[in-house]
Amino acid sequence: MIIIGEKINGTIPSVKKAIEERDEAFIHNLAERQSEAGANYIDVCASTAPEVEVETLKWLMDIVQEATDTPLCIDSPNPKAIEAVFPYAQRPGLINSVSLEGDKCEIIFPMIQGTPWQTIALTCDNNGIPKDVQTRVDIAKVLVEKAQQYHITPERIHIDPLVIALSADNDSLLKFAEATRQIKELYPTINITSGLSNISFGMPLRKVVNQNFLTLAMFAGMNSAILDPLNRDLAATLLATEALLGRDKYCRNYANAYRKHKIGPLKETV
């Protein structure tokens, strides 16, 4: 499972405050802790006003790269902002993201051509997020075909079939799972990802919904996710699911994580 640590995002109030106050220690600590928790990538998203986004993204990237060797996931809805900060990345990572909106593919794909960089690709276009499965699959096909023009192979793409809040669409998981199945059938080596917590937006006990979505989505074929690696319950769910799916021989990873106190209660009670 590819874990993209989501904690350094300007939409989170504590991170927004740290950005505004240029609190380097706060960001450094978040990066370090996510890396230690097993994140494969550290997402950096400024979520600031457009005129200061590039400057803020670079500031975040510099701190994270000083804190850890874990690769960056450069996150912005503006491909020009990603393009502007791309040269400051010290090692190959992940771009978040491309889609069929505007000229995103035409900016991002040439930028990562001939490099080991990977990219998240959202199954939406200028009409927004499709409500049906078939349109999402059709968009995924176009994205893969566009990527291939720049010699970007499916294994470098993390397709996001887009999770709609369950409170808005009762079939959200079912559509995600079916889109995942069809896309993986077309491109067996492609990665399937999601913004995990989107599923529980507007619901009580969001963590419970997120954990159950993670298990079912992994069973459907999702092998990548933007999530909180510091959430011990979510980490336990992920490891338990991998064991249940036969991906953890003799449940060693699950047992070792428990022995090292990475999952389970922080303090045992009698």
Side-chain angles (χ1 to χ4, degrees), residues 1 50 70 76 80 87 99 105 180 184 194 226:
M1 187 69 178
T70 301
S76 173
K80 289 288 188 181
S99 69
C105 288
T180 295
K184 289 290 282 185
S194 74
I226 302 169

Side-chain angles (χ1 to χ4, degrees), residues 248 250-260 263:
D248 182 6
Y250 303 121
C251 303
R252 286 174 182 153
N253 292 336
Y254 183 85
N256 286 338
Y258 179 75
R259 277 194 287 270
K260 292 176 181 177
I263 59 173

Side-chain angles (χ1 to χ4, degrees), residues 43-72:
D43 190 88
V44 287
C45 181
S47 294
T48 58
E51 59 268 21
V52 295
E53 184 183 17
V54 170
E55 172 199 339
T56 306
L57 263 178
K58 182 183 181 301
W59 180 76
L60 290 170
M61 289 168 62
D62 288 344
I63 297 169
V64 172
Q65 290 179 118
E66 182 183 320
T68 176
D69 289 334
T70 301
L72 295 167

Side-chain angles (χ1 to χ4, degrees), residues 57-256:
L57 263 178
K58 182 183 181 301
W59 180 76
L60 290 170
M61 289 168 62
D62 288 344
I63 297 169
V64 172
Q65 290 179 118
E66 182 183 320
T68 176
D69 289 334
T70 301
L72 295 167
C73 174
I74 305 176
D75 185 350
S76 173
N78 180 1
K80 289 288 188 181
I82 295 175
E83 186 180 41
V85 300
F86 185 72
Y88 300 104
Q90 295 172 6
R91 58 190 62 83
L94 185 62
I95 298 297
N96 188 7
S97 58
V98 299
S99 69
L100 293 187
E101 297 171 296
D103 57 358
K104 290 185 177 184
C105 288
E106 287 68 32
I107 294 172
I108 299 299
F109 285 155
M111 187 181 77
I112 66 171
Q113 182 180 14
T115 76
W117 278 80
Q118 300 185 22
T119 185
I120 293 171
L122 312 180
T123 54
C124 59
D125 56 19
N126 291 323
N127 296 314
I129 300 173
K131 293 182 178 180
D132 64 298
V133 170
Q134 189 57 55
T135 305
R136 297 183 205 188
V137 174
D138 290 342
I139 291 173
K141 289 180 188 176
V142 176
L143 287 165
V144 172
E145 288 167 3
K146 281 179 175 282
Q148 287 173 339
Q149 293 173 16
Y150 298 94
H151 309 290
I152 298 166
T153 52
E155 58 267 24
R156 290 174 57 197
I157 301 171
H158 297 241
I159 287 283
D160 185 348
L162 294 173
V163 180
I164 297 171
L166 188 61
S167 56
D169 183 351
N170 287 160
D171 292 331
S172 179
L173 167 70
L174 300 177
K175 290 176 181 177
F176 181 91
E178 180 58 22
T180 295
R181 186 193 66 77
Q182 291 189 33
I183 293 166
K184 289 290 282 185
E185 194 172 80
L186 289 168
Y187 312 105
T189 61
I190 208 163
N191 301 291
I192 301 292
T193 195
S194 74
L196 190 78
S197 60
N198 291 342
I199 190 70
S200 62
F201 185 78
M203 297 186 69
L205 299 175
R206 291 190 67 181
K207 289 183 179 180
V208 175
V209 179
N210 294 343
Q211 286 169 227
N212 284 280
F213 172 80
L214 176 61
T215 295
L216 293 168
M218 287 174 66
F219 183 67
M222 185 182 77
N223 68 316
S224 165
I226 302 169
L227 53 78
D228 179 2
L230 306 182
N231 183 321
R232 294 170 65 87
D233 292 335
L234 201 59
T237 299
L238 191 156
L239 288 166
T241 302
E242 288 194 325
L244 288 164
L245 292 176
R247 300 172 187 166
D248 182 6
K249 194 171 184 180
Y250 303 121
C251 303
R252 286 174 182 153
N253 292 336
Y254 183 85
N256 286 338

Side-chain angles (χ1 to χ4, degrees), residues 7-28:
K7 300 292 285 182
I8 301 177
N9 189 308
T11 61
I12 300 170
S14 59
V15 176
K16 180 181 179 182
K17 182 173 183 285
I19 289 171
E20 289 171 348
E21 297 177 358
R22 287 299 190 259
D23 187 346
E24 293 188 15
F26 183 89
I27 302 298
H28 189 285

